[in-house]
Amino acid sequence: MRTEPEGHGPVRYGPPLPEPGLPVLPELSAVLAGAAGRAHAEPPGGSPALRDAASGYWGRRGLPVERGHVVAAPGAAPLLLALTAALGGDVLLPRPCPAWWAPQVRLLGRAVYPVPTPAECGGVPDPYALMETVRRVRAEGGTPRLLVLSVADDPTATVPPPEVLHEAVEAAAGEGLHIVSDETWRDTLHRPHDTVLVSPAEMAPERVTALADLSGAFLPPGWPAAVARFPAGAQGAALRARTLDVLTALGACVAAPVGAAASYALGEPDEITDRLARASSLHARVAAAAHHAVLAAGALARPPAAGRHLYVDLGPLRTALAARGVGDSQDLEDYLGERLSMPAPGGHRFGDDLAALHVRLATGPLLGADRQERLASLTAPDALELPHVKRALRKLAAAFG
C-alpha cells in the first residue's frame, strides 16, 4: 500500500474546477471580443468598473460593500495566496477541501492543518474538532490565524446547514481566527428555493473575507477572474491593502478583456441569469441521475446540492475493487479515468487519506462530446432522454457496476 501518490504531485497534477461542459454564452463572447483591442492592463486589484460590479453582486446577496473593500485577481488561487501571505500564520482547512487550497498555503512555507468535517456536510470543519486542533497547534508552538471554508463545497457538492455553519464560525471567532469564505459555487444551487445558503460574512462580518472564483458560475475557466469582499472598518482595509501589495508584487492583474467580461457578468443581465438558471438545473438533473447510479452500484455519496460534481465513497466496494488491482484512491483515479474517459480525481487530491476510496465525478463531461450535443442538453425539455446523455450515464453505471 502506498503512502504517497507517487508521480502525481498536488500542484502539477491537481484537478481544475469541474468544467461547465457548455458553450460560452454569445453575449459574453461579444463583450470579450469588443474589449480585445484594449492595450492597457487592468490595475492591480481590478478596475473601478469591475470592483463596482462586484460590489453590486455582493449587495444583491445581502452583503453590501463599498468599492474600496473589494479586490479582483486573475483567478481564486493567486487571490488566496495573497490573502494567506497578508494574514501570516498557519492555516486550517476542512477535510476534504478543494484541491487548490493547500498548495497555495504550502507555497508560502506555511503549515496546513486539516480538520474533519461533520457527518451531514462538507465545506466546514466540525466545531469541536476545530477548537481541539487550534489548541493543539498552539501548544506545539504553531500560530493558527486563518480558517478557509466553503458555503457550497467542492469536492462534496454539499451546502452546510446554517446552524452547522454558525457553530463553525463561532468556534473560529472564539479562537481568534480570520475566515476566508470560498463562495465560488453559491450561485449554482440545485434546488435554490429549498436550500438555505448563508455566508459567514453575515454571521461575523468583521472576521470574514468572502471570495468567489467567477469560473464557478459566470465565466469560462479559460477566462481567469476572481473577486474578494473584505470586512468594513480599519482592520479590513489594512488586510485589503496588504493583499493588494502581494498581488502587485506578483503582477497578478486581470486581463483587460476578461475584466470587461467579468464586469458584464457580475452585473447579472437577463441573459446571464437565464443561462445560469438553466445550466444549474441541467447539472442538477444529471448529478441526481449520476448519484442514483453510484448508489445502485453499492457506493456511498451525499446527495449533490450545488455545483457540477459529486463526491463518491467506494469503500463498500473495496473487495471487488481490490480484485481489479485498485487499492487506494490513486488506483481508483486511474481505473475510473480510463473506463469513463474523463477525469475522476481521487480523494487524496482533496486532502483525504490515500487509502480511502473516494473520487470526485464531474457532470460536465456527461452533457455531450461536442458543441451541438451540449447545446442540445441545455435546451432539451428533459436532457436525460437525449441519446448521448443516456449513453454517458450508462457508461458511468457500467464502470461502477
Side-chain angles (χ1 to χ4, degrees):
M1 178 68 69
R2 288 174 293 184
T3 57
E4 295 293 336
E6 298 153 359
H8 295 264
V11 175
R12 288 174 293 156
Y13 298 92
L17 292 177
E19 294 279 342
L22 295 169
V24 178
L25 191 68
E27 292 87 347
L28 202 55
S29 294
V31 172
L32 185 84
R38 296 184 184 178
H40 63 276
E42 289 255 323
S47 67
L50 177 51
R51 288 184 286 124
D52 281 341
S55 296
Y57 165 83
W58 295 118
R60 289 188 294 275
R61 284 149 183 80
L63 297 168
V65 61
E66 297 178 357
R67 176 205 293 175
H69 282 262
V70 173
V71 160
L79 194 43
L80 180 61
L81 179 74
L83 268 164
T84 306
L87 281 162
D90 302 323
V91 180
L92 297 108
L93 305 176
R95 184 177 194 174
C97 70
W100 57 274
W101 284 3
Q104 303 305 309
V105 179
R106 292 191 175 112
L107 282 172
L108 295 169
R110 305 282 167 76
V112 175
Y113 295 96
V115 184
T117 54
E120 55 264 61
C121 64
V124 299
D126 176 88
Y128 298 103
L130 175 65
M131 290 186 288
E132 289 175 1
T133 302
V134 170
R135 292 164 189 174
R136 173 177 58 81
V137 171
R138 286 184 176 141
E140 294 171 353
T143 55
R145 291 181 184 165
L146 173 61
L147 167 67
V148 188
L149 53 76
S150 179
V151 296
D153 187 40
D154 171 22
T156 66
T158 58
V159 175
E163 60 275 14
V164 173
L165 179 63
H166 188 265
E167 290 176 358
V169 171
E170 276 197 332
E175 296 296 338
L177 303 178
H178 189 81
I179 299 169
V180 168
S181 173
D182 183 353
E183 304 190 357
T184 294
W185 300 103
R186 68 169 295 155
D187 297 298
T188 65
L189 298 181
H190 293 181
R191 294 169 293 279
H193 300 296
D194 301 324
T195 305
V196 179
L197 186 149
V198 182
S199 171
E202 300 175 57
M203 301 174 175
E206 74 287 353
R207 287 193 172 275
V208 178
T209 298
L211 176 153
D213 192 314
L214 301 188
S215 68
F218 295 104
L219 295 181
W223 303 2
V227 292
R229 174 196 183 275
F230 288 79
Q235 289 186 340
L239 176 58
R240 179 187 181 274
R242 294 195 300 273
T243 301
L244 194 56
D245 285 343
V246 178
L247 289 172
T248 303
L250 293 172
C253 300
V254 178
V258 174
S263 298
Y264 172 78
L266 286 171
E268 298 183 283
D270 290 343
E271 56 271 20
I272 291 289
T273 55
D274 177 66
R275 163 60 78 88
L276 179 55
R278 289 193 295 145
S280 297
S281 176
L282 170 61
H283 283 286
R285 300 275 326 263
V286 175
H291 182 248
H292 176 76
V294 300
L295 293 185
L300 303 174
R302 296 187 184 101
R308 304 186 285 258
H309 52 285
L310 65 157
Y311 199 57
V312 184
D313 176 5
L314 281 84
L317 306 178
R318 182 176 293 277
T319 301
L321 285 166
R324 292 161 175 79
V326 176
D328 59 29
S329 62
Q330 181 62 63
D331 293 334
L332 183 63
E333 177 180 309
D334 297 337
Y335 180 85
L336 288 177
E338 179 181 349
R339 281 153 184 77
L340 295 174
S341 303
M342 64 184 236
H348 60 291
R349 309 291 185 187
F350 310 103
D352 266 337
D353 288 334
L354 182 66
L357 295 176
H358 297 169
V359 64
R360 187 191 71 186
L361 301 175
T363 51
L366 305 177
L367 304 183
D370 55 34
R371 177 185 175 87
Q372 184 177 357
E373 288 186 349
R374 292 165 187 163
L375 277 176
S377 297
L378 184 65
T379 57
D382 185 359
L384 299 184
E385 294 301 318
L386 294 173
H388 62 270
V389 176
K390 282 185 173 181
R391 284 195 302 271
L393 288 170
R394 281 199 300 266
K395 187 174 184 178
L396 176 71
F400 280 88

